[in-house]
Amino acid sequence: MDLRPKAIFSLNPRFFFLCLLVGIIAGAGAVVFHYLCQLMQHLMLGGLAGYYPPHPAGEEPLFTPLGVPFRRFLLPLVPVLGGIISGWLAYRFAPEAEGDGTDAVIEAYHHKQGNIRSRVPIIKVLASAVTLGSGGSGGREGPISQIGAGFGSFLGRTLRLSERERRVLLAAGMGAGVGSIFRAPLAGALFAAEVLYSEPEFEAEVIIPAAISSVVAYCLFCLFYGWGALFHVPDITFQDPLELFPYAIMGFVLAPVAILYIRVFYAIHEQFKRFAIPNYIKPAIGGLATGLIGFMVPQALALSYGFIQQILNGQVGLGTMVMVASAKILATSFSIGSGGSAGVFGPSVVIGACLGGAMGEVFHHLIPGVVESATPFAVVGMAGFFAAASKAPISSITFVTEMTGSYHLLLPSLLVSSLSFLASHRWSIYRQQVPSRIDSPAHRGEFVVDVLEDLKVLQAYTPVTVHAIPEDMPLRDLIRLMGETDLYQYPVVDREGRIVGSVSVDDVRGIFFEEIYPLVIAKDLAKPVLMTVTPDESLNSALRKFTAMDTRGTPLEEIWVVDPKDPNRILGVLRRKDILRAYAREMERRFRP
């Protein structure tokens, strides 16, 4: 019996169709969510305050401006209205929909057997569209993650799939949603597999299902809103290795700012949790703080993707980029930390672009012969900052590459993301991440099998002299022998020394008070020997034999270790606790700091 998990696709071809279905729903959800976000922004920020944030070059506005004059004094109030509506929706119908959706999906994967309530994605879409449309600072990846993941979870429950299959569909839905709305299908698949862990780790079995779902969702989204990258960048290339030095410096600067972002975000979040007021009111207070920040720095409101486009076009000065980065950290912390509904990936990209662009400007003035433009630093800054904040460096690089359509900056992006990841090692914006697969309840038990497969019985069993019991030994002598030793069972042998059965302490105890007690000999009590092991067998094989006897209703406390060349020669005994001790020793050896 092989306990190792099998590949889902090799055993269950219908899973391919299920991934296609998840991709269709995730793509459709992305289409609807994108429309709602633009509609809410058109009606609330545009219709009430007359503020129309710029759009990235690859994403045209869906609505014509209403012609309302810019009313700056209303900017602090519009996010309050959005906070009231989104707070009521979330806390009235689905409290899980508050905050960042990606963290909720990660929690469902590790701790909830891949289960998300069916109503959560619907409420998340509505609450997030209102939050972002009213000027709340956040991203679209959190809500769309829950849309795709929620349908994957629903599909798994409806079809009564295994817990493992349900988890994979949940992750595939998350990757499909993110990959479609950011026009980055490869990044979506990698993100779904990488963001689950805070250490450099991938959920390998998620990648292919997420890739299939992401491709389908991306194609469906682009059929409605056009093809191409989200941002347009000028033709830039990496040609001078000397540029790696300022890039390396930037990597070490991005890390502490990412830590600051995380600390401010959760400090504000914890403070709002302490407020003794109804939860649905808290997003309105956060909205007021966001609106006041927006009154001073309007670029920090809503998605701010159009501001990234301006940075990439070289239209923003150094001071403005630093100011927007600072404002975006605070605005995001108040918008989402107060219980508002939106994602944290989008703001991370904005902050990274601002910091990268600002450092690019500095290096351009200091070493213009090496750094000719700030634009490449803005692109690389997006990847490096999110890598530090999310602990997902590979998907961060891929995201930015696909979002900008620029494949010439992979080398500096890899360097900066690696350095920022390492320098911010213990900090992550996603609190539900676990360090690695071995720490995930989703994989509980799998690693016991893996470790025991590498250990042999020889490393765990106790070599002892096992007294052979002649089949004609009287019960009185057998009891005396058992009293002098501490074994549980003993081999019964014939005149030639061949093992014909075994007798245990329980066998003797069962007949001790019978009237035929003086007439009983060892042969009368002997039972067939059902299980033995050899020194070269793996401890995993031995554990399966113990388990097999348990399921048959004849549990064993110990198994004889026999000579593989002579099964009648017993070398010692292997107990269950010996296997546990060997496992504990090996785990301590492997993971000793």
Side-chain angles (χ1 to χ4, degrees), residues 86-87 90-91 97-99 269 272 279 282-283 333-341:
S86 65
Y91 289 104
E98 62 92 15
H269 176 69
F272 270 97
N279 285 332
K282 295 177 182 179
S333 300
F334 281 111
S335 294
I336 306 175
S338 63
S341 183

Side-chain angles (χ1 to χ4, degrees), residues 404-540:
T404 61
S406 176
Y407 296 85
H408 299 289
L409 297 175
L410 284 174
L411 182 62
S413 294
L414 183 58
L415 173 66
V416 172
S417 296
S418 299
L419 293 177
S420 65
F421 171 87
L422 293 172
S424 61
H425 182 63
R426 298 185 180 277
W427 297 87
S428 176
I429 197 70
Y430 298 124
R431 283 189 166 179
Q432 296 301 327
Q433 287 175 329
V434 298
S436 62
R437 285 164 55 86
I438 199 170
D439 301 291
S440 171
H443 297 286
R444 186 169 291 143
E446 292 180 15
F447 288 91
V448 175
V449 174
D450 293 339
V451 172
L452 294 183
E453 197 68 52
D454 294 333
L455 298 176
K456 302 299 181 185
V457 171
L458 181 64
Q459 299 170 261
Y461 87 99
T462 305
V464 296
T465 300
V466 181
H467 295 278
I469 307 298
E471 59 184 356
D472 57 354
M473 176 182 282
L475 182 58
R476 186 181 307 278
D477 295 336
L478 178 58
I479 293 173
R480 185 180 302 110
L481 176 64
M482 287 183 173
E484 296 171 352
T485 59
D486 61 351
L487 297 178
Y488 174 74
Q489 61 178 345
Y490 300 80
V492 178
V493 297
D494 59 17
R495 295 180 184 276
E496 286 74 30
R498 296 189 299 266
I499 297 176
V500 296
S502 68
V503 60
S504 69
V505 174
D506 287 340
D507 296 331
V508 172
R509 185 183 297 118
I511 201 172
F512 192 76
F513 295 104
E514 297 289 338
E515 295 181 1
I516 59 172
Y517 162 70
L519 305 177
V520 175
I521 60 176
K523 183 179 180 179
D524 298 327
L525 300 177
K527 296 180 179 178
V529 179
L530 299 177
M531 293 288 180
T532 61
V533 294
T534 63
D536 293 332
E537 273 190 66
S538 72
L539 288 182
N540 183 36

Side-chain angles (χ1 to χ4, degrees), residues 249-272:
I249 294 173
M250 184 173 73
F252 287 112
V253 171
L254 292 175
V257 180
I259 294 173
L260 175 66
Y261 171 46
I262 295 166
R263 295 190 64 173
V264 169
F265 180 88
Y266 282 109
I268 291 176
H269 176 69
E270 293 300 324
Q271 189 60 50
F272 270 97

